Amino acid sequence: MDIPRLRASWNAVASYGGQVPLFFYSTLFLLHPRTREMFPAAMAGQRDKLFTALGHIVAHVDDLENAVPFLQQLGRDHRKFSVAPEHYPAVGQALLATLQHFLGDGWTRELAADWTEAYGLVSQVMNEAAESAATSSPPWWDAEVVAHERRSLDVAVLTVRTATPMPYVPGQSIAVETQLRPRLWRYYSPANAPRPDGRIELHVRLVDGGPVSSALVQAVQVGEVLRLGAPVGHSLTLDHKQDVVFLAGGTGFAPFKALLEQIAEEGLQRRVQLFVGARTAREFYDAEAIRGFERTLPGLRVVPVASDDPGFRGERGRLVDVALRYGPWPEEEVYVCGSPEMVSGTCDALRATGIGPERVHREEFTSYAGTAPELTGSGTADEDHRG
Amino acid sequence: MTLQANDHRQPGFRRVLTPDRIRNITFKKSPLGRRGVDPDEVELFQRRLAEEIAAGEAENARLRAEIDRLRNWYRDHGENVDAVPAQQLDVQAVNLLSEAQLQAEAYIAQAEAHCRRVTVDARRQADAILHDAQQRAEDAAQEAAHAYRARAGDGYAAELEEMERRLAWLRAFSHAVQVQLQATSSAFAQEIDKLARLPEKLRKSGTDVEES
């Protein structure tokens, strides 16, 4: 395999931009019409993800050591889209046809051989990871909605129950699909530690125009069955004994609620500072649960912060600014969860005061280990994620 | 050579339609008193059609020659070009599918944008209603406290004033919200009525176009 040649050809093709993934998917669907049903109706975001993922793979093709965990995660993630081994050659065929089309005269037998070999490696790693995951977990869990509570105009708390228990760690995320919006997956964090009865609490904020979140907040009813993908992500999990500061924007409180349950069980004398942000006082949608934790956790201090409510008697302003006034935090591990803007703004403000990324925990949506970009289906941190 | 347009040929025998045959085809005249077509126009069309087919045949021949030349070149260079690939990719079909996909996405994006606008408006309206109700309640509470102080005289009690204040607040608040809710719900009911009348309209317009 001539890697510089492979990369040069990818760069040449990538310069055609959005046409390339568009051509790839149309080719795939023409050659293998049954693959179409694995994708949502609108695929614009999908096409960008394919590009990113392919770019990643091509960039690391000579560094398999690094690429393998990424590919394994991709392979495991794709099980929830009902991807089977026979789909890999179909995708390979469409990929080669696409490269051939855009490279024109630049497509040679040698290049075709390089790409065939590279894709063979990639699909082998993904396939093996999917197969080995299949021995320990199902491709997805069916979860019945057992309670649906509309807590405010924009926030609903759903309780779902999986038929077989889903093993996860507090702070992880799971992809959720509703039959109301087939093939659209969005990540949410369970708001409780795993329970023997398989109940999982999900906090969903309605994102204006977001197809999945609006269905989950406004339309889903008790008795409906959601699909949950395998849990992912280790950025917000708690596996140390340090004191912690939690910065929760809106439904970004969900993973912290699960972590508080874990802390309540672990029996350490850990100090926990929880800053809960909302726009107005009406939007503290889980205040009762928070009071419950305050009663049972002696090391916990809670500060509610309203960003846009002149009548609020507690702290007002931007969450991170208030939290920094309560500092300094020289030793603590700082956890941040909320909308993408809230998370990036908060991390910038923390860094400015000397709290660097080494002890700031946030979800990395494009990292290798976390919620990786996907070749099919849909997911990760797009418009529907919490916040 | 002539060929009758209504020539009943033997089944299973298909004669090739060459430019020459097209040019020389003759049609029977329609009987007197029946409508027909202008024979000059027909003849013009025949010539035109014959030319098109001749041109197509020439192009086909040229392409076949080119294919042969290329195939020979590949054979000479040791490439196997005789095995037909399992599936030929039709680039036009791919592009057609891509266009359809983009079209569908444009519709979906439009629907989502519409949904976003409606939600934003609804939230703004809800905020305004609440804010307005709170304001009215605040004013009414002030007024009630004022009135109580004015009439209480020696019997003034702070707890009673607070109670008056709260009662007035709640009354004014629930009234303001109720009025808004009523307005909204009757507007909503009207919309529903409109929708309910729609099928009726459609049914009627099926038989009677005048009705609209």
Side-chain angles (χ1 to χ4, degrees), chain B residues 185-199:
Chain B
S185 101
S186 70
F188 190 54
Q190 274 175 12
E191 289 299 315
I192 291 177
D193 284 348
K194 267 191 227 163
L195 284 175
R197 282 197 297 275
L198 206 58

Side-chain angles (χ1 to χ4, degrees), chain B residues 22-41:
Chain B
I22 292 171
R23 265 183 223 108
N24 294 318
I25 198 168
T26 57
F27 295 87
K28 271 202 299 190
K29 300 244 179 329
S30 47
L32 272 176
R34 296 266 302 275
R35 285 181 163 198
V37 291
D38 182 351
D40 288 345
E41 272 190 45

Side-chain angles (χ1 to χ4, degrees), chain A residues 26 41 43 47 154 208, chain B residues 79 98 101 105 116 120 123:
Chain A
S26 296
M43 292 180 55
R47 290 195 290 272
D154 294 328
D208 297 345
Chain B
E79 178 99 50
S98 297
Q101 176 67 30
E105 279 166 15
R116 192 172 308 131
V120 169
R123 184 179 303 108

Side-chain angles (χ1 to χ4, degrees), chain B residues 114-126:
Chain B
H114 181 69
C115 167
R116 192 172 308 131
R117 273 195 300 277
V118 170
T119 322
V120 169
D121 283 353
R123 184 179 303 108
R124 196 179 297 135
Q125 225 170 333

Side-chain angles (χ1 to χ4, degrees), chain A residues 22-23 25-27 29-32 36 40-44 47 93 97 101 109 153-154 206 208-209 211 214 279 282 383, chain B residues 77-79 87-91 93-95 97-99 101-102 104-105 108 112 115-116 119-120 122-123 126-127 130 134:
Chain A
L22 188 62
F23 191 96
Y25 280 112
S26 296
T27 302
F29 301 151
L30 269 180
L31 296 179
H32 305 277
R36 182 62 183 91
M43 292 180 55
R47 290 195 290 272
Q93 187 191 7
H101 175 76
R109 281 177 68 198
L153 205 57
D154 294 328
L206 188 149
D208 297 345
S214 57
R279 210 164 55 93
R282 289 196 304 280
E383 85 276 23
Chain B
H77 289 76
E79 178 99 50
Q87 271 156 318
Q88 276 294 350
L89 189 61
D90 181 344
V91 174
V94 170
N95 290 340
L97 193 58
S98 297
E99 267 173 51
Q101 176 67 30
L102 291 178
E105 279 166 15
I108 292 172
E112 283 181 4
C115 167
R116 192 172 308 131
T119 322
V120 169
R123 184 179 303 108
D127 279 350
L130 269 175
Q134 265 163 352

Side-chain angles (χ1 to χ4, degrees), chain A residues 44-129:
Chain A
Q46 192 59 46
R47 290 195 290 272
D48 294 345
K49 274 179 210 148
L50 173 83
F51 237 135
T52 320
L54 272 177
H56 256 307
I57 292 168
V58 173
H60 291 90
V61 75
D62 54 349
D63 180 18
L64 269 183
E65 200 85 345
N66 259 316
V68 159
F70 170 69
L71 293 172
Q72 286 174 331
Q73 182 66 34
L74 270 184
R76 283 191 294 267
D77 279 353
H78 278 66
R79 295 175 62 224
K80 66 174 178 285
F81 308 128
S82 309
V83 170
E86 68 266 24
H87 294 121
Y88 285 89
V91 167
Q93 187 191 7
L95 177 63
L96 261 63
T98 304
L99 295 166
Q100 179 176 13
H101 175 76
F102 283 96
L103 287 171
D105 290 341
W107 183 250
T108 61
R109 281 177 68 198
E110 295 77 26
L111 201 53
D114 285 348
W115 274 98
T116 306
E117 190 187 343
Y119 180 76
L121 277 174
V122 165
S123 58
Q124 191 191 342
V125 173
M126 286 178 68
N127 233 326
E128 283 172 5

